[in-house]
Amino acid sequence: MATTRTAPAPAPSPLPVAEREASPCLDISVVIPLRNEEGSLRELHRQLSEVLGASGLTFELLFIDDGSDDGSDTILRDLHRTDDRVTVVTLRRNFGKAQALATGFDLARGRIILTIDADLQDDPHEIPEFLKTLDTGYDLVVGWKRRRRDRVTRVLASRVFNLVNRVCFGLPLHDMNCGFKAIRREVLGELGLYGELHRYIPIYAHARGFRVTEIPVLHHPRKHGRSKYGLERYLRGFFDFLTSLLLTRFAKRPLHFFGGVGFTVGTIGLAICIVLTLQWLRGNTALSERPLLILGVMLIILGVQTISIGLVGEMLIHREETRSTQGQHPIRALLRRAAVS
Ligand code: UDP
Ligand code: MG
């Protein structure tokens, strides 16, 4: 079985200042996360060069080698030697696709960032359609693998995942986990991507008020190598789902979430205790004979504790917000006269 990761990825170390581009100088950056994809790299490079070359736009291809131990490294060095549009980034070890993407995003110099898997399951010939759709006024275009060429279990799990997300986040996408996306640079500036939250880029973007849409794309079966993910991705996906729910809905107001839960639980506990106390006052039963009392008391304590977590969260956010001098505001356009008379 293919091992995918060894330990949770640490916080990414900041790139040297010289490596970060403050302003984009190319039209397109293609970010390609890869792990052990030696069989596909040359063909992928050929197809991307062909399609993007024909578009007349300036572009770069960023291959992010996420700890490969096959021949990928040799091939990438060769591509870099023969094509100056190719950048190769080799991570110290396997950190997972999210880290590979985050590194690529930081190094990208394009106005538009395209992400595509390295295994040729996504078809580079779809790229013009992505660009056309962005031009109609969107900030993020997500691929929709309408006919998915993966195992049945994967396809079903993905359907459920997408359905739950549609209901919980209100974003009508069929395939938000698709690795094939076109993203305007501004969007990425606002999303802190860590862990495996790359699955939720569309949700975070949508929550920040960016315009998100999808286009159907071709999906090919894997020709070389094997999928890097097994069943464990579903459990991790579930935790990421909870994180995303919290971060998109309640990140700026934790008390609304924890307060709501705590208040409900505490009120139930209080009601139980009041009923038992009234019965005791009427002289019906001694409290020591009412096991329900334990539940009531526990619920009250749990409620108070949950509300307290929300208060601590509010204090943390307050500190964070007052410390940051240039908070990010979800502004699409700003109209202001230069001088005030
Ligand atoms: N990948 C990566 N790091 C990892 C696992 C995967 O960079 O730890 C890359 C992989 O090489 C591929 C893309 O992420 O380019 C999608 O992975 P895969 O094809 O295994 O996923 P699936 O298509 O099965 O969802
Ligand atoms: Mg794949």
Side-chain angles (χ1 to χ4, degrees):
M1 206 184 87
T3 50
T4 54
R5 47 180 42 227
T6 45
S13 54
L15 288 167
V17 176
E19 296 292 339
R20 289 171 179 268
E21 285 289 330
S23 54
C25 57
L26 295 167
D27 294 320
I28 294 174
S29 295
V30 187
V31 173
I32 310 151
L34 68 111
R35 173 163 156 78
N36 295 343
E37 304 286 4
E38 60 179 352
S40 324
L41 291 175
R42 283 194 194 279
E43 178 59 16
L44 179 68
H45 171 260
R46 195 191 62 71
Q47 292 190 18
L48 284 171
S49 309
E50 180 189 295
V51 171
L52 289 165
S55 72
L57 299 167
T58 53
F59 67 94
E60 62 177 350
L61 306 177
L62 283 156
F63 289 90
I64 318 294
D65 183 354
D66 182 23
S68 295
D69 48 19
D70 63 349
S72 297
D73 186 53
T74 320
I75 296 170
L76 290 177
R77 280 172 195 276
D78 196 41
L79 292 176
H80 171 66
R81 205 170 36 78
T82 53
D83 183 349
D84 57 11
R85 295 165 309 193
V86 168
T87 297
V88 178
V89 187
T90 311
L91 300 185
R92 286 187 210 113
R93 63 168 173 82
N94 176 233
F95 285 100
K97 187 175 171 184
Q99 177 62 70
L101 285 173
T103 306
F105 293 157
D106 251 353
L107 283 164
R109 293 171 293 176
R111 281 184 303 109
I112 292 168
I113 289 143
L114 280 160
T115 60
I116 185 167
D117 286 355
D119 53 5
L120 284 172
Q121 288 197 266
D122 302 326
D123 194 324
H125 294 95
E126 307 273 5
I127 289 177
E129 200 52 42
F130 275 91
L131 300 178
K132 230 193 296 169
T133 312
L134 271 187
D135 273 347
T136 59
Y138 288 101
D139 301 304
L140 167 58
V141 183
V142 185
W144 169 20
K145 302 180 290 270
R146 213 196 276 241
R147 252 197 88 211
R148 200 170 165 159
R149 312 299 291 268
D150 281 319
R151 285 193 309 271
V152 182
T153 46
R154 280 288 303 281
V155 179
L156 281 178
S158 166
R159 290 252 164 91
V160 175
F161 172 85
N162 282 292
L163 180 73
V164 171
N165 284 326
R166 276 206 297 277
V167 172
C168 294
F169 297 104
L171 182 60
L173 295 184
H174 292 87
D175 192 8
M176 64 180 83
N177 196 9
C178 182
F180 206 2
K181 295 186 180 77
I183 314 167
R184 281 191 197 284
R185 192 179 183 79
E186 312 78 270
V187 178
L188 293 174
E190 284 207 31
L191 311 182
L193 200 70
Y194 66 91
E196 286 191 18
L197 297 181
H198 61 88
R199 289 204 183 91
Y200 291 92
I201 290 177
I203 286 169
Y204 289 106
H206 174 68
R208 297 291 299 169
F210 290 108
R211 296 176 178 128
V212 181
T213 190
E214 68 183 0
I215 56 168
V217 291
L218 281 174
H219 191 234
H220 302 295
R222 217 181 217 282
K223 273 206 219 109
H224 310 278
R226 54 196 297 185
S227 171
K228 309 297 178 295
Y229 297 102
L231 284 174
E232 79 287 352
R233 82 176 346 173
Y234 300 123
L235 185 63
R236 290 209 296 259
F238 175 67
F239 290 132
D240 288 336
F241 165 77
L242 289 184
T243 310
S244 301
L245 203 59
L246 198 69
L247 289 183
T248 53
R249 296 256 178 111
F250 303 106
K252 298 266 164 157
R253 43 192 183 124
L255 195 55
H256 287 211
F257 175 74
F258 290 105
V261 174
F263 183 77
T264 313
V265 170
T267 308
I268 296 172
L270 195 64
I272 292 174
C273 288
I274 289 174
V275 172
L276 294 184
T277 309
L278 288 178
Q279 290 180 348
W280 170 68
L281 283 175
R282 280 204 219 114
N284 289 357
T285 357
L287 280 179
S288 56
E289 284 165 27
R290 305 303 304 265
L292 207 56
L293 183 70
I294 299 175
L295 181 69
V297 172
M298 260 176 44
L299 289 181
I300 292 177
I301 295 174
L302 194 67
V304 172
Q305 279 189 337
T306 312
I307 293 173
S308 307
I309 293 174
L311 285 170
V312 173
E314 292 286 343
M315 284 194 305
L316 286 175
I317 285 178
H318 177 71
R319 265 179 55 142
E320 192 62 33
E321 294 283 312
T322 46
R323 210 171 10 171
S324 81
T325 47
Q326 41 173 24
Q328 282 179 328
H329 301 285
I331 299 173
R332 179 167 292 132
L334 172 67
L335 302 176
R336 182 159 65 182
R337 301 226 182 256
V340 182
S341 54

